[in-house]
Amino acid sequence: MTEELQRFFKSISYSYEESIFDGASVEKVIYLKKKELFEVYLQLKKVLPYVVLKDLLKATENKINGMGACKVYFSYASVMKEDVLSYLQELVRELTEKRPSLVNLNEALVNIEEEVITLEVSTKLEELEVKKEAKGLTNKLSLYGLGEYVLTSVLNEELHNEVKETLEKSKTGE
């Protein structure tokens, strides 16, 4: 970890675990005078754990030395499918906390091929809702430095039929 990165963390009152930021550095800092905003570009060897990234972003709300607003951009030496999947699971979990009706998305099968992420959903309603939320989820993945993706959903007929059967049984009282 570079001295410049340590100074940045101190300026936003962020307490960090040094081992997590091993090999990390500040790539560049740009000050946008009209917006009174610092853009801080971080270069990291490995993808940060989601909770660490969220804590760091929360600390940026403290502003640089309590005065200058800042926005952090992340770039990684390498991003694995597992990293993207892990972040997506956390983003879906946060979404289902806000919208409990989508709780089944936590169990959705996820397929990542190239820059396309596909969620297998169990109802047509979930399929429609994923389409509504897709842009927001992929924007966050991009903002967090994980790459540009397209998120789509497909109806898993087998799961859909299971849900229908369960609903029918509950209606008939079985």
Side-chain angles (χ1 to χ4, degrees):
M1 178 188 322
T2 63
E3 285 184 36
E4 191 175 25
L5 183 59
Q6 291 173 343
R7 280 195 315 271
F8 169 63
F9 287 163
K10 184 177 179 185
S11 76
I12 60 171
S13 302
Y14 177 66
S15 58
Y16 56 91
E17 189 176 319
E18 198 162 331
S19 63
I20 292 176
F21 292 93
D22 183 43
S25 64
V26 175
E27 191 175 349
K28 65 182 171 181
V29 178
I30 298 173
Y31 182 67
L32 303 174
K33 196 172 188 174
K34 286 185 180 181
K35 293 182 180 180
E36 297 181 355
L37 174 74
F38 289 94
E39 290 185 338
V40 180
Y41 293 80
L42 300 182
Q43 176 65 46
L44 301 111
K45 284 185 179 179
K46 58 184 179 181
V47 175
L48 293 173
Y50 186 78
V51 67
V52 171
L53 179 127
K54 292 296 279 190
D55 287 344
L56 176 55
L57 291 177
K58 179 82 172 145
T60 63
E61 294 172 9
N62 297 329
K63 301 183 177 180
I64 292 181
N65 297 321
M67 301 181 324
C70 74
K71 186 171 183 173
V72 179
Y73 296 92
F74 302 90
S75 63
Y76 302 102
S78 73
V79 177
M80 309 296 285
K81 278 185 181 181
E82 294 79 18
D83 298 321
V84 176
L85 181 59
S86 171
Y87 269 65
L88 183 63
Q89 287 171 333
E90 289 298 327
L91 291 170
V92 167
R93 184 188 56 73
E94 288 175 357
L95 175 64
T96 59
E97 285 176 4
K98 292 177 190 166
R99 302 196 44 209
S101 63
L102 299 176
V103 72
N104 287 340
L105 290 180
N106 287 321
E107 304 301 320
L109 296 173
V110 179
N111 185 25
I112 302 173
E113 290 296 325
E114 303 293 318
E115 285 82 35
V116 178
I117 301 171
T118 306
L119 292 176
E120 287 190 24
V121 297
S122 57
T123 68
K124 290 181 182 185
L125 176 63
E126 288 173 349
E127 187 176 25
L128 290 171
E129 292 302 315
V130 167
K131 286 180 179 160
K132 287 181 188 175
E133 299 291 341
K135 190 69 175 163
L137 294 171
T138 56
N139 284 345
K140 285 182 180 178
L141 289 174
S142 179
L143 178 70
Y144 298 160
L146 299 172
E148 300 289 326
Y149 291 91
V150 173
L151 180 70
T152 186
S153 60
V154 295
L155 184 63
N156 181 319
E157 291 297 332
E158 202 173 294
L159 286 174
H160 180 66
N161 290 335
E162 286 177 24
V163 169
K164 280 175 67 174
E165 286 176 21
T166 303
L167 288 173
E168 288 172 10
K169 285 181 181 177
S170 68
K171 285 181 184 177
T172 60
E174 290 180 24

